[in-house]
Amino acid sequence: MDHDHVREVDPKVADALESEVDRQRSTLQMIASENHASRAVIDAQGSALTNKYAEGYPGSRYYGGCEYADEVEELAIDRAKELFGAEHVNVQPHAGTQANQAVYFAMLEPGDKILSLDLNHGGHLSHGHPANFTGQLYEVEQYEVDPETGYIDYDGLAEHAAEFEPDIIVSGYSAYPREIEWERIQTVADDVDALHLADIAHITGLVAAGVHPSPVGVADFVTGSTHKTIRSGRGGIVMTSEEFADDIDSAVFPGGQGGPLMHNVAGKAVGFKEALEPEFEEYAAQTVANAEALGESLSDHGFSLVSGGTDNHLVLADLRESHPDTSGGDAEDALEEAGIVLNANTVPGETRSPFDPSGIRAGTPALTTRGFDEDDCRTVGDLIARVVDAPEDESVIAEVRDEVRRLCDENSLYE
Ligand SMILES: Cc1ncc(COP(=O)(O)O)c(C=O)c1O
């Protein structure tokens, strides 16, 4: 992957870009929201469409010269409709957060009520955290996972909703390893006359491939990021029914955004085409099988997994019992030194700080893209355990680093 044109102008940035490619090639990317987009998606995102202003929607733009922008956006929309079976799709949100913002802006007034999952239990900042605009503009209460099982406490959610009477219930999570029961949440929303936003940011690819049940046609709104498990261009997406189509479109533009990032929309179109191929279904199924294998391996090494395992692309380990003297941050740092990049994460019942929480979250989307199978992921579990068992032992870290290099060489990337 060369950056010759950048190098001619700016060798410092070219060096950083090349170092980043090397970093991704030679280390294990296990941040659950990350993936390795194809060269086709990367080329589309690095295209001349970055120059184009296309405010508005296909066939109805505020500027001339939009014929190719229209073509690309229509392809992205049609492919997303086919992938998800959605009636209406908006592919312009700059990110998953902006997709959520569009739904809130379209449907809520300041002071309206949001009921969403607590951040420490797997929720997301854009679901009502005080540091996010949602926590400042709306009245927010939060539901939790069952402390015994780690699964969403659906009965608790129903009771909470009956008491709080929210205007919108948000489902879909950042650090929740289990299948989400959309219909159950929809019933709760119907019972209290609330809207339902299902945010599939993390599992967009799993839903598209049919390896996780879909909330499309169940929830009123489905939002997502387009660069995580679905591995397409970077950004967000909103799906809804014809009933809310105009509200959502005006909330994205001009409500919350200016000109769409048309180069990213092109990346979405290309990535969605890839996701319509039968191989993508295999990829998504392998991602889940790999996460299961990783989880089994970590459990065998004594790690305590929130909910006891996984149904999707990620595992969340609570280190408090198995490694009481090691915080999530300590583990993250030592693992990064060994070439395994994942993130410290809060866990249900968190007792440390959000800046240095008690858990680690590990995902398999990027490893699976570069060809890892269940055996490889069991080996990765062994390596993670070796490092977290001895986070200050430089010789262990050096040995694991060598093993990581071997795994990376066997599963090459961007050759
Ligand atoms: C559930 C959920 N929603 C929204 C987002 C935000 O996505 P983005 O980074 O595309 O804004 C994330 C990010 O990980 C997420 O996990």
Side-chain angles (χ1 to χ4, degrees), residues 20 32 69 109 116 118 230 244 286 293 327 343 399 406:
E20 174 60 17
E109 296 296 330
S116 58
D118 188 294
I230 198 157
F244 298 116
Q286 187 66 51
S327 69
N343 64 288
E399 281 164 29
R406 185 187 61 74

Side-chain angles (χ1 to χ4, degrees), residues 30 32 294 298 313-316 342-343 360-364 384:
M30 299 190 71
L294 173 70
L298 290 172
H313 62 299
L314 66 86
V315 297
L316 181 61
L342 47 65
N343 64 288
I360 49 174
R361 186 187 68 164
T364 52
I384 290 175

Side-chain angles (χ1 to χ4, degrees), residues 32-33 94-100 122-127 170-175 199-203 223-228 234-236 361:
S33 48
H94 298 337
T97 297
Q98 280 59 47
N100 289 341
H124 188 255
L125 290 166
S126 66
H127 297 178
V170 184
S171 62
Y173 315 109
S174 282
D199 174 354
I200 59 169
H202 263 254
I203 55 171
T223 54
S225 302
T226 47
H227 47 274
K228 295 178 179 164
R234 189 153 192 123
R361 186 187 68 164

